[in-house]
Amino acid sequence: MFRRRESVPVVDLVADLGESFGSWKMGDDAALLDMLTSANIACGFHGGDPRVMDRTVADRVARGVGIGAHPSFPDLVGFGRRAMDLTEDEVRTDVLYQLGALSAFARSHGTKVTHLSPHGRLGNLVVTRPDYARAVADAGTAFDGELVIVAQEGEMARVARERGLRIALVGIADRAYTDEGTLVPRSEPGAVLHDPDEVTQRTVRMVTEGLITSRDGVDLPIVADSVVLHGDGPAALQLAARIRAALRAAGVRFAGLSDVLAAKAS
């Protein structure tokens, strides 16, 4: 399902935050927050701990950035990037557990969790596995039926639509896509793109033209309600700023997820 593009494109800018753990630090979350309209916050299973979660939510509230849960497989050592053979019920309860943890911190700061974006390998597998997609949808519905589910086009989006859940489709410009429209696994060469010119151009084309080129050179249609700005590389902040500036120069408007979905539905 591909929605029509607006004459004035509008997009949510999101990044994965709160992934530091204990004395180990990942990224400059505070600086990256200034460029975002939404944040995916780690819930302790792949990154984040109670102090990090509390601080990340507080910083997000201070900047008016939308708060989202970024649940993963219980894989702290592998940063949630390894496949795990879990049952559907295990995925459902693990996601619900993480939603509850982040929600407690959100509530303590006078806000709420408004979207759900599965992390890492779980995020990849919900695109292709109906059982995992159902599990995430079940957890989201049980927690709050108004949650926006953030995912790529595929099983997760299909199940969310069937359940009447709001779905925001995500574009990831620094990841290579297969001809089928899924992400190239990180274990394969060229899965992550590092050329800032290429990543910036792909992002602008994704948002303004609704197209992205696969690893093998095939132009694929894509809807990007939300664009991920990764913040964990050595030049991440510079690249995020560059992408934001290029989108603005192309006439793109930035808004939170709910406003993006409302604008595209009108």
Side-chain angles (χ1 to χ4, degrees):
M1 176 180 177
F2 295 100
R3 299 191 291 272
R4 67 181 179 85
R5 296 187 302 279
E6 300 298 304
S7 56
V8 178
V10 57
V11 73
D12 169 63
L13 297 181
V14 66
D16 305 338
L17 303 181
E19 293 179 321
S20 300
F21 186 86
S23 61
W24 181 77
K25 187 174 186 297
M26 171 172 276
D28 187 346
D29 287 2
L32 194 59
L33 265 172
D34 292 331
M35 305 181 201
L36 306 178
T37 50
S38 295
N40 300 327
I41 301 178
C43 303
F45 273 33
H46 76 278
D49 62 33
R51 270 64 59 192
V52 171
M53 292 170 70
D54 185 54
R55 183 168 60 251
T56 305
V57 170
D59 288 346
R60 185 227 53 95
V61 170
R63 290 168 172 80
V65 174
I67 183 173
H70 203 37
S72 79
F73 286 137
D75 180 27
L76 194 59
V77 172
F79 200 65
R81 289 176 176 167
R82 299 181 295 187
M84 301 185 73
D85 189 19
L86 303 184
T87 67
E88 183 173 333
D89 193 57
E90 285 174 322
V91 173
R92 178 186 66 83
T93 50
D94 281 353
V95 170
L96 189 57
Y97 181 96
Q98 293 173 82
L99 276 166
L102 184 63
S103 179
F105 290 107
R107 184 172 180 178
S108 75
H109 289 285
T111 188
K112 63 182 291 187
V113 176
T114 56
H115 74 268
L116 166 62
S117 176
H119 164 81
R121 191 63 177 147
L122 176 61
N124 293 338
L125 289 175
V126 296
V127 176
T128 58
R129 286 191 56 162
D131 56 342
Y132 284 4
R134 289 193 303 268
V136 172
D138 286 344
T141 301
F143 176 77
D144 181 356
E146 294 301 311
L147 274 182
V148 177
I149 307 296
V150 180
Q152 294 175 261
E153 188 64 74
E155 288 298 319
M156 185 75 258
R158 181 187 64 78
V159 171
R161 292 185 188 110
E162 288 179 354
R163 304 284 183 85
L165 296 169
R166 292 189 295 169
I167 180 76
L169 298 176
V170 65
I172 310 174
D174 66 351
R175 291 293 305 277
Y177 283 71
T178 69
D179 290 351
E180 290 72 39
T182 59
L183 295 180
V184 174
R186 285 181 176 268
S187 58
E188 296 184 16
V192 180
L193 308 177
H194 299 286
D195 185 320
D197 290 333
E198 180 183 11
V199 173
T200 301
Q201 291 167 7
R202 282 164 64 90
T203 306
V204 173
R205 188 170 186 239
M206 178 191 301
V207 175
T208 61
E209 298 180 35
L211 293 170
I212 195 165
T213 303
S214 75
R215 178 176 57 178
D216 297 324
V218 177
D219 276 349
L220 306 171
I222 186 171
V223 173
D225 300 313
S226 183
V227 168
V228 175
L229 302 179
H230 281 127
D232 56 352
L237 291 177
Q238 295 91 327
L239 180 58
R242 181 172 179 173
I243 290 171
R244 182 183 172 98
L247 287 170
R248 188 179 293 280
V252 176
R253 181 169 64 88
F254 307 127
L257 278 173
S258 293
D259 289 339
V260 168
L261 295 181
K264 292 190 174 185
S266 62

